[in-house]
């Protein structure tokens, strides 16, 4: 196994994840099989308990792993399916060591950070790197490891030490370290400053790791003398100093890396030149350039709870982008804080209320994404009602589907207090109820997580046609509540159709509203499996319908063209 380690220096938020996944794309384009590992040095076991407000979206894997959103970047960029083991956290490592300690595996020894924690990290990396993630047999050629945080952080020290030992044990030809850093520009003269990078490389070298390549982030392209200075002080050849300056969209980054021959430097270091092919990034180039040249756009209202930080819905945003690009449209996402649509806001902050409604009315389609807790729920119900009554295309994901059901029960069945028991335990009409897959008494591990099969109840529904599969779809889940099976009869009689269910027939997975241009709710999260060039069918349906092209598309598709 060959390892490419990506570390970061100077400041956080440099786009290390995008850099690392873009390097993976370039290596994959050279005919190599690539896997990846993300190390998050925090103590949490996984990202499942972290707030999307603070940390961005929790990404969900096929195996139910709740992981850092960077794993989503890897899956999308490399078109792979990762496992929860591909995300290492301090919590996971310590737990595995402490479990062994309790079992008595250390035979009376003192258990220490070095060697026990560092050994556990090395073992974890070496075994996970072997898991095939691209659907093929056998291990990948290269494993890209991204170390989260910034070099020098106390938390990442055991990882740095373990990686140093790993680099030594696997040998020079099998280890390539790329340090991502920032080159700021200061003062009126606008000089590109190399000192912060010099310091962070020095710090890395003091810890026993020498970068073979630097990836320098900057607003403008690096000047030649900046590169020379970096080379001299950081002990890295000029040819190995990559520059990631600002680009119009992130799909340009693999192209930028290739244009600087990043693949050559890495392949040379890893002694892979003889088996690699010249990088073929034709499809990427087309995608990146198409995106730059889009002129028409589609206005999408995203009505959610965590609208302050767009990373909270990163995969939804990416899935919209994939769908829009395949329709040659630029997504124009209008974020609406769901609570701004509520009647109370009209009293308290009338301008915010008016602005939110104006934005909603202006949108060509409405999306209510997943979420937890009751903040903004009343506003989401109003948005779903507006979309349903005004024939505006609507996609409700997870919470968004539950919202549709509550709204339909209230407005059409006349159950004014219909609700989910998540928001009102005393509701006389619990149309959404707690339906865990596991224990009912424990809060932990009660989520229905990961890939589950949905069976279409009829091939004659829009969703089945969009998926181009009359039988089933496998999508990822992350929820505790579901549509109450006892409420299905009444809801269906009143016109709402549950066209996708799980294999027991008790869990409602997909709802549609016949007669509406596009009104779909899904209990699963289709955004996690959307890929550039392979958009999620539901997002595609939403966008096509927003432009009045859905019927023509389905017609064309059904006729096999
Ligand atoms: N809060 C809802 C549930 O737990 C929806 C979850 C979600 O949207 N991911 O079922």
């Amino acid at each position: 196994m060959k390892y490419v380690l990506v570390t970061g220096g100077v400041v956080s938020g440099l786009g290390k994840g995008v850099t690392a996944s873009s390097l993976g794309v370039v290596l994959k384009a050279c005919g190599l099989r690539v896997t990846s590992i993300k190390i998050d040095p925090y103590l949490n076991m996984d990202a499942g308990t972290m707030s999307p407000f603070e940390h961005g979206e929790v990404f969900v894997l096929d195996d139910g792993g709740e992981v850092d959103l960077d794993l989503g970047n890897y899956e999308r960029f490399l078109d792979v399916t990762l496992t929860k083991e591909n995300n290492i956290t301090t919590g996971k490592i310590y737990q595995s060591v402490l479990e062994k300690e309790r079992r008595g595996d250390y035979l009376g020894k003192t258990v220490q950070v070095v060697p026990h924690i560092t050994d556990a990290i090395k073992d974890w990396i070496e075994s996970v790197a072997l898991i095939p993630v691209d659907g093929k047999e056998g291990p990948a050629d290269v494993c890209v490891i991204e170390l989260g945080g910034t070099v020098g952080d106390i938390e990442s020290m055991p990882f740095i030490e373990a990686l140093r030992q790993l680099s030594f044990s696997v040998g020079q030809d099998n280890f390539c370290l790329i340090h991502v850093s920032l080159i700021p520009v200061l003062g009126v003269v606008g000089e590109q400053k190399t000192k912060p990078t010099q310091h962070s490389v020095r710090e890395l070298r003091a810890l026993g790791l020498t970068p073979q390549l630097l990836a320098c982030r900057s607003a403008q392209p690096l000047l030649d003398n900046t590169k020379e200075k970096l080379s001299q002080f950081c002990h890295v050849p000029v040819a190995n100093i990559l520059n990631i300056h600002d680009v119009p969209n992130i799909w340009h980054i693999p192209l930028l890396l290739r244009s600087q021959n990043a693949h050559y430097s890495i392949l040379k270091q890893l002694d892979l030149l003889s088996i690699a092919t010249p990088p073929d990034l034709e499809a990427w180039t087309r995608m990146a350039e198409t995106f730059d040249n889009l002129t028409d756009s589609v206005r999408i209202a995203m009505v959610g709870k965590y609208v302050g930080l767009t990373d909270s819905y990163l995969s939804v945003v990416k899935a919209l982008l994939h769908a829009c690009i395949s329709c040659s449209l630029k997504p124009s996402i209008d974020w609406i804080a769901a609570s701004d649509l509520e009647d109370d806001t009209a009293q308290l902050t009338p301008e915010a209320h008016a602005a939110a409604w104006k934005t909603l009315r202006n949108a060509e389609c409405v999306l209510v994404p997943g979420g937890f807790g009751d903040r903004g729920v009343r506003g989401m119900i109003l948005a779903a009602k507006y979309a349903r009554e005004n024939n505006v295309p609507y996609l409700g994901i997870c919470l968004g589907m539950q919202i549709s059901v509550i709204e339909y029960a209230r407005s059409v069945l006349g159950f004014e207090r219909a609700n989910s028991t998540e928001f009102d335990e005393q509701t006389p009409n619990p149309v959404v109820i707690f339906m865990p897959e596991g224990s009912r008494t424990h809060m932990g591990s009660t989520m229905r997580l990961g890939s589950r099969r949905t069976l279409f109840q009829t091939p004659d529904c829009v969703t089945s046609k969009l998926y181009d599969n009359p039988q089933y779809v496998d999508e990822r889940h992350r929820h505790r509540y579901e549509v109450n099976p006892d409420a299905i009869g009444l809801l269906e009689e009143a016109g709402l159709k549950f066209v996708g269910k799980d294999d027991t027939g008790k869990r409602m997975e997909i709802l549609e509203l016949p007669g509406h241009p596009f009104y779909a709710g899904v209990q699963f999260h289709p955004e996690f499996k959307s890929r550039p060039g392979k958009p999620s069918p539901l997002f595609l349906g939403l966008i096509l319908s927003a432009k009045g092209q859905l019927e023509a598309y389905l017609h064309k598709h059904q006729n096999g063209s």
Side-chain angles (χ1 to χ4, degrees), residues 31-92:
L32 299 168
R33 290 177 56 208
V34 182
T35 180
S36 74
I37 294 176
K38 168 83 199 285
I39 298 175
D40 284 308
Y42 47 65
L43 275 167
N44 304 55
M45 291 284 292
D46 61 36
T49 52
M50 298 172 100
S51 160
F53 277 125
E54 209 177 291
H55 202 74
E57 157 192 282
V58 176
F59 192 79
V60 181
L61 300 169
D62 261 2
D63 68 5
E66 298 175 275
V67 294
D68 188 88
L69 52 79
D70 276 322
L71 281 266
N73 272 333
Y74 290 110
E75 284 208 343
R76 283 186 286 267
F77 269 44
L78 299 172
D79 195 13
V80 292
T81 303
L82 299 171
T83 72
K84 55 174 92 138
E85 272 72 37
N86 292 69
N87 191 193
I88 307 181
T89 67
T90 298
K92 283 186 189 172

Side-chain angles (χ1 to χ4, degrees), residues 437-475:
E437 262 185 348
S439 156
R440 282 186 164 265
T441 47
H442 287 67
M443 256 317 256
S445 343
T446 50
M447 283 233 234
R448 190 159 183 253
L449 274 172
S451 184
R452 297 283 186 284
R453 183 151 292 186
T454 293
L455 304 176
F456 287 117
Q457 307 300 299
T458 158
D460 197 26
C461 60
V462 178
T463 320
S464 156
K465 289 179 195 157
L466 280 167
Y467 273 95
D468 201 14
N469 186 329
Q471 264 121 30
Y472 67 88
V473 289
D474 293 327
E475 290 280 12

